[in-house]
Amino acid sequence: MKELYVVKIGGNVIDNEENLLRFLQDFSKINAPKILIHGGGKVATEISKGLGIEAVMVDGRRITDAATLKIVTMVYGGLINKSIVAKLQAYNANAIGLTGADANIISATKRPIKNEIDYGFVGDVEKVDGKIISSFIENKLIPVIAPLTHNGQGDILNTNADTVASTIATALSSLYSVHLVYCFELKGVLRDINDKDSVISDIDQTTYELLKNEGVIAKGMIPKMDNAFEAIQSGVKTVRICHADEILSISDNTKQIGTTLFSNKEISH
């Protein structure tokens, strides 16, 4: 099976022009089919504040009211997505910017009210059309996908970028040998958030539950990890969480980079 790298970029890498350019230059050099999924929450939050709209987060996920939906659609699907595509073109990487509504690649349903929490216009992924995404890849295009989905009734929905990445990776796992990589500004999952070198090299499902109960893994890292383990259980070959500067080393299996996630039966130490 052909190798495919599904890479999600987030954190302050997107907010920092120098960091983003360095990442995109390295990403463009990956000599294999690849997809880039991006977030952009901090940019959206800053623009929201400038318009007098305060961002509300619950368990690392954004509450999306009607005003916020307009902002994230403009920021994610427009400003960030097209800026990344343009920068990749400068590195001779022929990218195409997409949302879930484009070519009907990601349909979703509006998240129901649960435990008295109304997330607003937030979408839970219902279906990913892996064949359509594959057609872009096979035509030598690099899909750059914003975390926006649609409900088939004309409505855009805001969807967690980590979820978009894991569901795309899963949908393509029957067509490719998929490596899912979450890149951000840290070297991996840290045992001590104040020690940037305290990277936990590998985590299985049982260890994850223990670390979560201890509070070592918390807030926005929880949905990221949940999505990662779902991907592993659904056929994705590898999942890694690492620093954006290490993206070119992900295909080198001789290097220990970031945090690698395993199912319980695969980890042996």
Side-chain angles (χ1 to χ4, degrees):
M1 261 187 164
K2 190 185 294 184
E3 306 280 311
L4 171 68
Y5 289 89
V6 176
V7 181
K8 187 266 177 174
I9 184 72
N12 65 22
V13 179
I14 286 176
D15 305 328
N16 184 297
E17 184 80 2
E18 184 180 336
N19 291 343
L20 179 59
L21 286 173
R22 186 167 61 245
F23 167 81
L24 292 176
Q25 190 168 20
D26 287 345
F27 175 80
S28 69
K29 294 175 183 175
I30 296 174
N31 190 26
K34 50 191 177 283
I35 297 171
L36 182 61
I37 294 100
H38 63 83
K42 292 180 183 177
V43 178
T45 298
E46 288 173 6
I47 292 176
S48 293
K49 281 185 179 179
L51 296 173
I53 302 167
E54 287 295 323
V56 179
M57 309 290 284
V58 176
D59 295 332
R61 296 182 186 268
R62 183 184 297 271
I63 302 293
T64 306
D65 59 15
T68 302
L69 180 65
K70 290 180 180 179
I71 291 168
V72 298
T73 301
M74 289 186 288
V75 173
Y76 299 170
L79 179 63
I80 295 176
N81 187 266
K82 300 312 175 189
S83 176
I84 288 174
V85 168
K87 288 175 172 61
L88 284 172
Q89 299 294 3
Y91 298 129
N92 297 312
N94 197 8
I96 180 169
L98 302 165
T99 69
D102 295 296
N104 193 27
I105 59 173
I106 313 172
S107 57
T109 54
K110 187 173 178 291
R111 182 172 299 168
I113 296 172
K114 188 176 181 181
N115 298 327
E116 299 184 354
I117 299 172
D118 184 355
Y119 286 93
F121 295 96
V122 167
D124 291 325
V125 175
E126 189 173 53
K127 183 182 177 183
V128 175
D129 192 330
K131 289 184 179 179
I132 291 290
I133 298 174
S134 176
S135 71
F136 290 120
I137 296 166
E138 296 306 315
N139 278 288
K140 310 300 181 185
L141 292 168
I142 303 166
V144 176
I145 302 174
L148 298 167
T149 56
H150 78 114
N151 64 359
Q153 298 170 12
D155 301 312
I156 287 283
L157 296 170
N158 185 19
T159 299
N160 180 273
D162 294 330
T163 303
V164 171
S166 67
T167 53
I168 286 175
T170 298
L172 289 162
S173 63
S174 62
L175 303 172
Y176 302 90
S177 179
V178 179
H179 304 279
L180 174 60
V181 187
Y182 290 104
C183 291
F184 63 154
E185 71 275 11
L186 301 176
K187 293 180 180 179
V189 180
L190 305 181
R191 184 166 291 281
D192 179 0
I193 195 64
N194 297 311
D195 180 0
K196 292 185 178 181
D197 293 319
S198 62
V199 178
I200 305 171
S201 61
D202 46 41
I203 299 174
D204 68 354
Q205 183 81 51
T206 302
T207 305
Y208 169 48
E209 296 301 330
L210 291 171
L211 292 170
K212 196 162 53 170
N213 291 335
E214 292 170 8
V216 173
I217 295 174
K219 297 183 180 178
M221 185 60 75
I222 291 175
K224 188 186 300 289
M225 298 286 282
D226 286 344
N227 288 318
F229 279 111
E230 285 178 19
I232 291 170
Q233 292 159 9
S234 301
V236 172
K237 186 175 180 181
T238 65
V239 179
R240 192 171 292 174
I241 300 172
C242 66
H243 197 288
D245 287 347
E246 297 177 315
I247 187 64
L248 265 179
S249 300
I250 58 173
S251 59
D252 186 348
N253 293 323
T254 65
K255 291 184 178 180
Q256 176 55 56
I257 297 161
T259 301
T260 304
L261 306 185
F262 300 86
S263 66
N264 289 336
K265 65 182 180 181
E266 289 175 326
I267 197 165
S268 60
H269 58 281

